[in-house]
Amino acid sequence: MSAEPAGNPDRADDPAERAWHLITRLFAERKSHFPDIAARFGLNPGAMHALLSIDPDEPQSMSSLAGAWRCDASNVTWLVDRLEERGLAERRPHPRDRRVRTVALTRKGHRLRVQLEAEIFAMPNALRQLSERDLETLCRILAKTAPDHA
Amino acid sequence: MSAEPAGNPDRADDPAERAWHLITRLFAERKSHFPDIAARFGLNPGAMHALLSIDPDEPQSMSSLAGAWRCDASNVTWLVDRLEERGLAERRPHPRDRRVRTVALTRKGHRLRVQLEAEIFAMPNALRQLSERDLETLCRILAKTAPDHA
DNA sequence: TATTGTTATACTCTATAACTATA
DNA sequence: TATAGTTATAGAGTATAACAATA
């Protein structure tokens, strides 16, 4: 949302808040570039979101996309129409239920998605400036926050 | 964009990429809640973005907002109209240039913004689970990435 | 004459309701 | 009868162009 870094100044003495503030600041620097990136690829926010969130490996039904995107089913129809027009996605029949249509990225859609991800999730330069040792420490600690951490 | 964590799997051996992957994963967890939060406050994405990005301390001109929001000036007129209708922002005359109108948050707008920020930038629980010692280490390293780091 | 902001207008995006096909 | 998806339609949001006021 805002390009401003986050964090409650009243809790600057809380190390968890301070850490989160620093993390959001790192992310805010990227976030401000999103509209430019989308425009450069000729994508509107909806198409960009769709392209990034369609599972590249497993086709999903229209209704599951409506759930994931939190929008009406009729809007999924419209959005997928736009992606199909650009050759980025395609509807496929469901192997068992003939009512269902699944959506998959085309080869072209895949390629665009990869390019898009590279720019959207590009690492901020600020991180690159840290020493190898600091980066390893960062990874070790942050790994503990991952859902699959033992 | 996507709720998926980011990072290039091909570079999993690069500690900077690994660290960034872990950070984006933390942020993705928050990002997925944004639509709910906006809906809960009765805000659409445009209004939420506007409320968060209007400088609470210094009124800005319509044209500067158009630049910041990367949209047409006529859309700023429309958007600010909506905020004014809800009593969240108000137009003010510019002290010297009578062509210019500046936009400022009302007291009500300020209050809503604060509430909004608290939810948007709420710290993920995963961070809270780290030890005091890990959090301090995190802060020490991340502080080096801040623009004002000596 | 150039710039700021608004208005008139059209186009894009999204939702609601009615409909078709299948289960 | 219920569900998946589309179509018809209306409404919200955004842009382009013409305009009024001021510099």
Side-chain angles (χ1 to χ4, degrees):
Chain A
M1 293 303 115
S2 168
E4 284 300 301
N8 190 332
D10 297 340
R11 299 186 188 155
D13 53 334
D14 179 346
E17 288 284 351
R18 283 214 329 275
W20 181 236
H21 175 85
L22 289 161
I23 287 172
T24 55
R25 169 182 283 184
L26 264 182
F27 215 87
E29 193 262 329
R30 292 297 319 149
K31 171 89 182 153
S32 62
H33 298 152
F34 286 6
D36 289 330
I37 295 169
R40 192 138 28 84
F41 283 97
L43 296 168
N44 54 36
M48 180 153 98
H49 180 256
L51 207 59
L52 288 171
S53 66
I54 289 177
D55 189 325
D57 300 317
E58 190 161 358
Q60 292 134 88
S61 71
M62 303 289 280
S63 59
S64 72
L65 290 177
W69 299 345
R70 295 167 182 282
C71 69
D72 190 80
S74 64
N75 190 34
V76 176
T77 296
W78 185 86
L79 216 29
V80 172
D81 282 348
R82 299 293 83 71
L83 292 176
E84 280 200 322
E85 280 173 4
R86 295 188 53 177
L88 300 174
E90 61 185 13
R91 289 172 168 88
R92 295 177 186 167
H94 189 279
R96 284 174 301 283
D97 190 334
R98 289 200 298 168
R99 291 174 304 180
V100 177
R101 315 192 73 177
T102 61
V103 181
L105 293 185
T106 60
R107 186 174 298 271
K108 182 179 172 187
H110 266 99
R111 279 200 299 269
L112 189 57
R113 180 199 171 104
V114 170
Q115 290 181 273
L116 201 52
E117 279 181 329
E119 299 216 25
I120 286 290
F121 298 118
M123 191 174 53
N125 285 327
L127 258 197
R128 182 62 71 189
Q129 290 159 6
L130 293 178
S131 70
E132 194 86 357
R133 182 195 163 93
D134 277 347
L135 286 167
E136 292 289 1
T137 306
L138 216 51
C139 288
R140 182 179 56 74
I141 296 174
L142 288 172
K144 298 180 187 176
T145 68
D148 52 348
H149 178 68
Chain B
M1 296 303 115
S2 168
E4 284 300 303
N8 189 333
D10 298 340
R11 299 186 188 155
D13 53 333
D14 178 347
E17 288 285 351
R18 284 215 325 277
W20 182 235
H21 174 85
L22 289 162
I23 287 171
T24 55
R25 169 182 284 186
L26 265 182
F27 214 87
E29 193 264 327
R30 291 300 317 153
K31 171 87 183 154
S32 62
H33 298 150
F34 286 6
D36 289 330
I37 296 169
R40 192 136 30 84
F41 283 97
L43 296 169
N44 54 36
M48 180 154 98
H49 179 257
L51 207 59
L52 288 171
S53 66
I54 288 176
D55 188 325
D57 301 318
E58 188 161 359
Q60 292 135 90
S61 70
M62 303 288 280
S63 60
S64 73
L65 290 177
W69 300 344
R70 293 167 184 282
C71 70
D72 191 80
S74 63
N75 190 35
V76 176
T77 295
W78 185 85
L79 216 29
V80 172
D81 281 348
R82 298 294 83 71
L83 291 177
E84 281 200 322
E85 280 172 7
R86 295 189 53 177
L88 300 173
E90 62 185 11
R91 288 171 167 89
R92 295 178 187 167
H94 188 279
R96 284 174 302 284
D97 190 333
R98 289 200 298 168
R99 292 174 305 181
V100 177
R101 315 191 74 177
T102 61
V103 181
L105 293 184
T106 61
R107 186 174 298 272
K108 183 177 172 190
H110 267 100
R111 279 200 298 270
L112 190 55
R113 180 198 172 105
V114 169
Q115 289 181 275
L116 202 50
E117 280 181 329
E119 299 216 26
I120 286 289
F121 299 118
M123 190 175 54
N125 285 327
L127 258 196
R128 181 63 70 190
Q129 290 158 5
L130 293 179
S131 70
E132 195 85 358
R133 181 195 164 94
D134 277 347
L135 286 168
E136 292 289 1
T137 306
L138 216 50
C139 288
R140 182 178 56 73
I141 295 175
L142 288 172
K144 298 180 187 176
T145 69
D148 54 347
H149 179 66

